[in-house]
């Protein structure tokens, strides 16, 4: 995780060699600058240039269309795919060679040039992995990344490397300065004869900066991001509590203690976004009637920006909820059981659409919310040493958590569960969450190297039932006593 700060202003100490510039009359002259905007743009351009040089060493498959019009990979006689370079030219240069060959890289700090290698590599292999995952899940793989364009955000990365460059200094409660330093080449000293130069980035922050490994400057968005390792969950005490989580019908998440958590309602924002989108469609229609490009319309751009702003706001609200809830869950429990949404989404998709379209959409949204919470719980749990077990949710909503009786008819309605055998009646989501916790504890006891409750399987429930084996002896004493009825309806803070 990383810390985002706002770039307030930049100052340059010294004069920086920006390379050779071609003038209007065709003559080539060296140029220096101490204008912050010009210097930052030069850094971003240089970073992109070097990134693209590294990217040019990657290759792509040669494809062609077969008789049915599908794109297929061309293979050589040995059935190996034919590879082509990604761009028109391959620039396989070291940083030193690149500096010598391109004058605008000559004064670039080495911690900026070096960062391109890692950034390019991560970008490339993350995309390759994403494609493999997509294919494995039956989705379209998506394209591999290409070169960075001038139209993309102007940005660069500078390594910190334990204090070698991009040094941060705090100078107020909410402000600090990052200093990036470098030097001009010896044959292109600044006009006043100096070699060294510095750029001071004044940033506005909302929390103290933790130790970081690099900074990312996005000039277009005016932000500086400190890249650092995730903060371990602080203030956690071993509670011995275990909890199961289920996605709810009415609430976003239900837990096995009978608590429900609701994601903030952002329907108002959604409707505002839809309004902007309707206006966009209208101005598009008007522009087309007048035979103009709708993208040039000020009104269209204003609505587009408005919709994007609201969508970002909505995403922030959801993200805030997911972070707060996952934090609280990891902080208060030593064991978390959660349904494996990857398994359930597969089975759910097979259902029809039509009349159930709205509830399907709702379910998708809740799935998305729980997926996000699950992924946050996952990484926070691994930091805090909390056991997280994912279980197959099959039948967890139909099985009675008391007597293990599993029939479809137990589910009286979407929200109410009423057991046909033992007549337990209560909230269906709570029942499912308890089942998930029990399945998770059982699975954990089976897979962990030294099951803490080995041999105590005897006190199982009714004949042939699974579950209820030893949930009370798992990683600690789980939810106090028997809690059959949902106790509290807690809406997460
Ligand atoms: Zn029952």
């Amino acid at each position: 995780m990383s810390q985002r700060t706002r770039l307030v202003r930049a100052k340059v100490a010294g004069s920086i060699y920006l390379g050779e510039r071609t003038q209007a009359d065709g003559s080539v002259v060296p140029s220096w600058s101490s204008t912050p905007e010009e210097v930052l743009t030069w850094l971003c351009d240089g970073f992109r240039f070097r990134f693209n040089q590294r990217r040019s060493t990657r290759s792509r498959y040669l494809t062609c269309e077969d008789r049915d019009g599908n794109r297929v990979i061309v293979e050589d006689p040995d059935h190996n795919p034919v590879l082509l370079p990604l761009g028109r030219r391959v620039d396989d240069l070291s940083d030193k060679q690149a500096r010598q060959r391109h004058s605008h890289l000559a004064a670039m700090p080495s911690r900026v040039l070096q960062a391109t290698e890692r950034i390019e590599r991560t970008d490339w292999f993350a995309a390759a992995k994403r494609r493999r995952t997509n294919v494995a899940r039956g989705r379209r793989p998506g394209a591999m990344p290409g070169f960075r364009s001038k139209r993309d955000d102007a940005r660069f990365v500078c390594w910190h490397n334990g204090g070698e460059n991009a040094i941060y200094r705090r100078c107020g409660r909410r402000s600090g300065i990052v200093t990036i330093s470098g030097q001009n080449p010896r044959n292109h000293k600044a006009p006043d004869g100096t070699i060294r130069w510095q750029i001071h980035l004044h940033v506005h922050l909302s929390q103290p900066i933790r130790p970081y490994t690099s900074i990312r400057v996005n000039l277009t968005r005016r932000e500086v991001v400190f890249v650092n390792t995730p903060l371990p969950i602080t203030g956690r005490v071993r509670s011995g509590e275990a909890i199961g989580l289920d996605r709810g019908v009415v609430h976003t998440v239900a837990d096995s203690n009978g608590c429900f958590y609701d994601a903030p309602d952002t329907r108002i924002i959604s409707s505002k976004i839809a309004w902007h989108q309707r206006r966009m469609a209208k101005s598009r229609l008007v522009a087309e009637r007048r035979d103009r490009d709708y993208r040039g319309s000020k009104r269209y751009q204003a609505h587009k920006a408005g919709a994007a702003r609201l969508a970002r706001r909505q995403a922030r609200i959801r993200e805030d909820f997911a972070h707060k809830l996952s934090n609280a869950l990891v902080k208060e429990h030593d064991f978390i059981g959660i349904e494996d949404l990857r398994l359930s989404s597969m089975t759910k998709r097979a259902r029809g659409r039509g009349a159930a379209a709205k509830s399907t959409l709702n379910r998708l949204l809740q799935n998305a919310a729980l997926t996000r919470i699950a992924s946050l719980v996952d990484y926070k749990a691994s930091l805090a040493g909390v056991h997280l077990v994912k279980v197959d949710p099959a039948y967890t909503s139909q099985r009675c958590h008391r007597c293990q009786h599993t029939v479809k008819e137990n589910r009286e309605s979407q929200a109410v569960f009423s057991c046909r055998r033992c007549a337990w009646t209560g909230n269906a989501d709570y029942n499912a969450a308890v089942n998930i916790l029990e399945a998770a504890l059982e699975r954990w006891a089976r897979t962990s190297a030294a099951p803490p409750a080995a041999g105590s399987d005897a006190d199982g429930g009714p004949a042939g039932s699974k579950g209820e084996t030893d949930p009370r002896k798992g990683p600690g004493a789980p939810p106090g006593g028997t809690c059959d009825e949902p106790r509290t309806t807690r809406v997460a803070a």
Side-chain angles (χ1 to χ4, degrees):
M1 291 290 111
S2 45
Q3 290 177 287
R4 187 163 299 176
T5 60
R6 191 157 52 82
L7 176 62
V8 184
R9 63 179 171 275
K11 284 181 183 171
V12 175
S15 203
I16 304 175
Y17 175 62
L18 300 191
E20 287 166 349
R21 295 271 160 104
T22 313
Q23 285 185 312
D25 58 354
S27 60
V28 177
V29 292
S31 70
W32 288 267
S33 174
S34 47
T35 319
E37 283 306 307
E38 203 178 352
V39 166
L40 286 175
T41 309
W42 162 76
L43 273 169
C44 295
D45 287 344
F47 186 86
R48 194 190 65 239
F49 184 85
R50 191 76 187 110
F51 178 97
N52 286 342
Q53 281 194 332
R54 295 195 188 277
R55 183 49 55 86
S56 74
T57 62
R58 305 278 177 200
S59 23
R60 62 184 174 88
Y61 293 129
L62 174 64
T63 60
C64 67
E65 272 187 15
D66 66 0
R67 286 186 210 95
D68 307 326
N70 300 321
R71 290 224 73 90
V72 288
I73 295 171
V74 178
E75 292 179 340
D76 65 6
D78 299 333
H79 296 290
N80 293 319
V82 177
L83 293 174
L84 289 181
L86 203 60
R88 266 167 285 174
R89 201 177 66 226
V90 179
D91 288 308
D92 193 5
L93 306 174
S94 69
D95 280 348
K96 193 178 174 186
Q97 287 168 328
R99 272 182 210 281
Q100 284 164 350
R101 207 166 295 179
H102 305 282
S103 65
H104 66 280
L105 297 179
M108 192 78 42
S110 49
R111 296 291 168 233
V112 174
L113 285 187
Q114 283 167 4
T116 54
E117 191 196 356
R118 177 87 168 266
I119 299 283
E120 194 276 332
R121 187 156 31 100
T122 313
D123 181 58
W124 183 261
F125 288 108
K129 189 180 173 191
R130 193 163 57 238
R131 278 162 56 92
R132 277 200 301 276
T133 316
N134 283 345
V135 170
R137 296 195 185 164
R139 295 192 291 244
R140 283 155 56 131
M144 285 300 280
F147 294 99
R148 280 198 179 171
S149 153
K150 271 183 187 169
R151 286 190 301 273
D152 296 344
D153 283 3
R155 58 200 197 224
F156 70 91
V157 177
C158 185
W159 275 356
H160 181 56
N161 265 34
E164 286 177 21
N165 209 338
I167 293 161
Y168 169 75
R169 180 163 54 86
R170 194 181 165 190
C171 58
R173 199 169 65 86
R174 290 260 181 273
S175 58
I177 298 174
V178 189
T179 303
I180 296 172
S181 44
Q183 51 188 359
N184 295 327
R186 300 219 165 259
N187 52 348
H188 288 291
K189 287 179 187 170
D192 59 1
T194 54
I195 281 185
R196 292 180 182 282
W197 52 261
Q198 285 187 326
I199 305 169
H200 303 290
L201 303 174
H202 293 246
V203 294
H204 184 93
L205 27 114
S206 54
Q207 49 177 285
I209 299 296
R210 303 195 302 272
Y212 57 97
T213 51
S214 64
I215 61 158
R216 293 165 179 243
V217 179
N218 189 323
L219 196 59
T220 312
R221 295 193 196 170
R222 312 296 297 180
E223 65 185 26
V224 177
V225 177
F226 293 82
V227 181
N228 39 30
T229 46
L231 195 65
I233 306 294
T234 51
R236 214 186 84 82
V237 284
R238 288 214 165 271
S239 58
E241 296 272 328
I243 197 169
L245 301 177
D246 183 40
R247 135 195 78 146
V249 176
V250 185
H251 305 280
T252 312
V253 181
D255 74 15
S256 56
N257 294 338
C259 299
F260 303 105
Y261 308 92
D262 280 308
D265 189 357
T266 55
R267 272 176 300 185
I268 292 175
I269 300 182
S270 297
S271 66
K272 282 181 184 168
I273 292 174
W275 179 78
H276 278 300
Q277 282 167 342
R278 282 198 299 276
R279 306 301 298 186
M280 277 160 73
K282 188 175 178 186
S283 58
R284 194 168 167 172
L285 211 68
V286 170
E288 268 164 17
R289 214 174 286 154
R290 292 179 191 164
D291 215 16
R292 284 193 202 146
D293 188 2
Y294 64 91
R295 280 165 298 192
S297 149
K298 267 187 188 167
R299 197 177 289 256
Y300 177 85
Q301 290 299 340
H303 283 298
K304 192 180 167 191
R309 196 175 53 242
L310 288 168
R312 283 198 297 272
R313 175 144 180 252
Q314 197 175 28
R316 280 198 304 272
I317 291 172
R318 287 182 184 149
E319 193 67 3
D320 176 67
F321 166 74
H323 268 292
K324 280 177 179 163
L325 178 58
S326 58
N327 219 36
L329 289 171
V330 171
K331 226 171 184 176
E332 291 166 15
H333 304 92
D334 279 340
F335 183 93
I336 298 171
I338 199 164
E339 71 171 275
D340 197 337
L341 284 149
R342 216 157 34 85
L343 296 173
S344 65
S345 63
M346 294 268 178
T347 55
K348 294 273 153 55
R349 196 174 299 158
R351 275 195 203 157
R353 290 172 293 154
K358 195 164 183 190
S359 91
T360 310
L361 178 71
N362 202 19
R363 186 177 291 278
L364 280 178
L365 284 176
Q366 278 179 346
N367 270 355
L370 192 53
T371 307
R372 183 69 188 134
I373 291 164
S375 78
L376 289 177
V377 165
D378 201 346
Y379 103 80
K380 288 178 187 182
S382 65
L383 281 175
V386 171
H387 294 287
L388 177 77
V389 177
K390 291 180 183 168
V391 290
D392 184 355
Y395 304 111
T396 49
S397 61
Q398 297 175 10
R399 186 164 64 233
C400 170
H401 74 277
R402 258 205 182 163
C403 68
Q404 311 303 324
H405 186 53
T406 312
V407 281
K408 217 188 241 170
E409 290 72 39
N410 281 346
R411 200 71 184 267
E412 196 142 272
S413 70
Q414 278 290 355
V416 178
F417 186 95
S418 180
C419 181
R420 298 288 149 190
R421 190 195 279 168
C422 75
W424 180 87
T425 303
N427 184 290
D429 298 329
Y430 161 70
N431 178 64
V434 175
N435 283 332
I436 283 170
L437 172 63
E438 287 178 357
L441 283 167
E442 194 186 0
R443 184 161 171 211
W444 182 72
R446 237 186 304 126
T447 51
S448 61
S456 66
D457 273 359
D459 63 340
S465 73
K466 53 185 208 164
E468 201 70 25
T469 41
D470 47 65
R472 314 284 168 220
K473 286 151 199 152
T482 48
C483 54
D484 280 357
E485 294 302 316
R487 287 182 303 205
T488 46
T489 302
R490 185 168 71 176
V491 176

